[in-house]
Amino acid sequence: MAFGDESPAAAGGADLESARIFSVVARLGNVRAAASELGMSQSTVSRRIAAMEESFGARLFVRSSEGVNLTDVGRSVMQITDGLESAARRLKTVSDSVKRKTVVTISGSDGIGGYWIPICLAGFSEQNPGITVQVKCGDVGRLADVARAEADIDITYSLPRDGDSCVIGHGTMPFQLFASKDYAEKHGLPETLEQVLDHPVAALESYFLRGVGDGHWNAFADLLARHPRVTYRVNSALALGFAIRSGWGIGPQPAMVAMTEHSMVPIPRSVYSSVVKFWLVMHRDTKDNPAPRAIADWIKRRFIKGTAGLAEFTVSPDIL
């Protein structure tokens, strides 16, 4: 037998599913790893490959101590099967989206998922009672893989580069410094960026990195590097907001906080002002499905009019 130890009878020959299995084995170079990724048993994967080899009358792989390697015939087959995995993922994305038709999954940072989305989509559920908005929060800067159906809509601070992602809108969110009312009454507020050194600061981890935003962003990152009293440093935008509200010190927040958090005092933007870009991303095959489209249309219509204002937002032509 050419590959596995079990008979390939009734397993099929060079059908599309076997070709996809072959493609995964070729990419990973290991039958066990391929079986795990495919959600199949190792013996099933071996049978399908063996059936293909019997159909071709030649070995497609040779075993080695580290796994399997393509033969010359296998490399020829790989040139034909290349792209099947991507096509299969796209089919699964469409299928999952239809099955999940009343659930729209939105991914973003905890600041996006825990703060921006509830405000931006306020009233959506009343007008769309059949749709459940499911929010998945992740680390800042992490892209959800819409091609693998990790999310229907990804709100990200990084412009996607893969061909399956479709940017449906992009915006800019301005930031400025805030302090709690109690803090401002007890300690006053800085009048220049340099005077921030005289106040305790609460900051998000990304604020220590240069190049994330425009305006005073880099100057503030440099100031943090030499600041004597960073009292609260965290990787959660929501946690940072609570820390500033609780009097840990001053720190940057989205400008819209001035409209929604009345216990916090904005510091003039002449002291500190920065702008961060963000993108709304969907899969090109599901962006027109009814439920995700309802979310996209809502954002298009309501973003500037609602309390999520103090930001600029542009809708891409493909959802106009």
Side-chain angles (χ1 to χ4, degrees):
M1 189 174 296
F3 191 86
D5 296 325
E6 302 179 51
S7 171
D15 57 275
L16 286 176
E17 177 63 7
S18 294
R20 185 175 75 91
I21 293 170
F22 162 85
S23 182
V24 175
V25 174
R27 172 169 57 82
L28 297 177
N30 186 284
V31 177
R32 178 178 298 176
S36 176
E37 180 171 311
L38 290 163
M40 300 177 175
S41 68
Q42 189 172 343
S43 61
T44 297
V45 172
S46 293
R47 284 199 305 271
R48 300 299 286 261
I49 297 299
M52 286 188 67
E53 291 183 325
E54 186 171 298
S55 175
F56 280 98
R59 288 178 180 269
L60 301 178
F61 296 97
V62 292
R63 293 184 180 276
S64 71
S65 59
E66 298 179 353
V68 296
N69 297 290
L70 286 167
T71 63
D72 288 341
V73 175
R75 282 189 285 273
S76 297
V77 174
M78 187 62 182
Q79 292 179 0
I80 299 172
T81 62
D82 188 34
L84 281 178
E85 285 186 79
S86 175
R89 285 198 302 270
R90 291 174 62 188
L91 287 171
K92 184 178 184 301
T93 299
V94 174
S95 175
D96 288 350
S97 179
V98 172
K99 292 176 183 177
R100 202 179 53 224
K101 52 182 174 255
T102 59
V103 178
V104 178
T105 302
I106 305 176
S107 63
S109 67
D110 74 325
I112 291 289
Y115 192 79
W116 187 85
I117 290 175
I119 293 174
C120 187
L121 296 184
F124 176 83
S125 62
E126 295 179 10
Q127 296 189 25
N128 299 271
I131 298 177
T132 297
V133 177
Q134 181 183 47
V135 178
K136 293 183 178 180
C137 298
D139 293 335
V140 174
R142 177 187 178 275
L143 283 168
D145 193 342
V146 293
R148 293 182 181 273
E150 291 181 358
D152 296 300
I153 301 175
D154 184 34
I155 303 175
T156 175
Y157 300 114
S158 302
L159 182 64
R161 301 295 182 184
D162 66 278
D164 290 326
S165 295
C166 176
V167 175
I168 64 169
H170 58 90
T172 56
M173 184 67 70
F175 283 72
Q176 65 189 98
L177 294 175
F178 283 82
S180 70
K181 282 188 175 180
D182 288 343
Y183 180 91
E185 291 173 359
K186 291 179 182 178
H187 306 287
L189 297 173
E191 296 181 357
T192 65
L193 185 59
E194 191 66 19
Q195 288 182 9
V196 172
L197 291 170
D198 300 326
H199 295 262
V201 169
L204 201 63
E205 291 289 349
S206 59
Y207 296 158
F208 291 80
L209 304 176
R210 293 175 58 87
V212 177
D214 299 327
H216 292 127
W217 186 283
N218 287 345
F220 188 72
D222 294 341
L223 183 143
L224 284 177
R226 58 191 176 91
H227 200 288
R229 292 187 64 200
V230 177
T231 56
Y232 200 88
R233 180 170 175 167
V234 67
N235 65 347
S236 163
L238 284 180
L240 176 62
F242 280 111
I244 296 171
R245 185 191 305 170
S246 300
W248 281 81
I250 65 176
Q253 290 280 276
M256 62 184 285
V257 165
M259 302 173 66
T260 59
E261 301 295 329
H262 302 302
S263 63
M264 294 171 66
V265 178
I267 297 172
R269 299 187 69 185
S270 58
V271 175
Y272 171 84
S273 173
S274 65
V275 174
V276 175
K277 298 176 182 178
F278 65 94
W279 289 264
L280 273 68
V281 180
M282 296 179 71
H283 192 279
R284 61 181 180 178
D285 291 337
T286 61
K287 67 181 179 65
D288 292 321
N289 283 3
R293 179 63 181 247
I295 296 285
D297 287 345
W298 182 276
I299 293 174
K300 176 183 69 175
R301 292 192 304 267
R302 302 299 179 92
F303 183 85
I304 295 176
K305 296 179 182 178
T307 55
L310 292 179
E312 296 178 357
F313 188 74
T314 302
V315 178
S316 295
D318 55 10
I319 66 167
L320 289 174

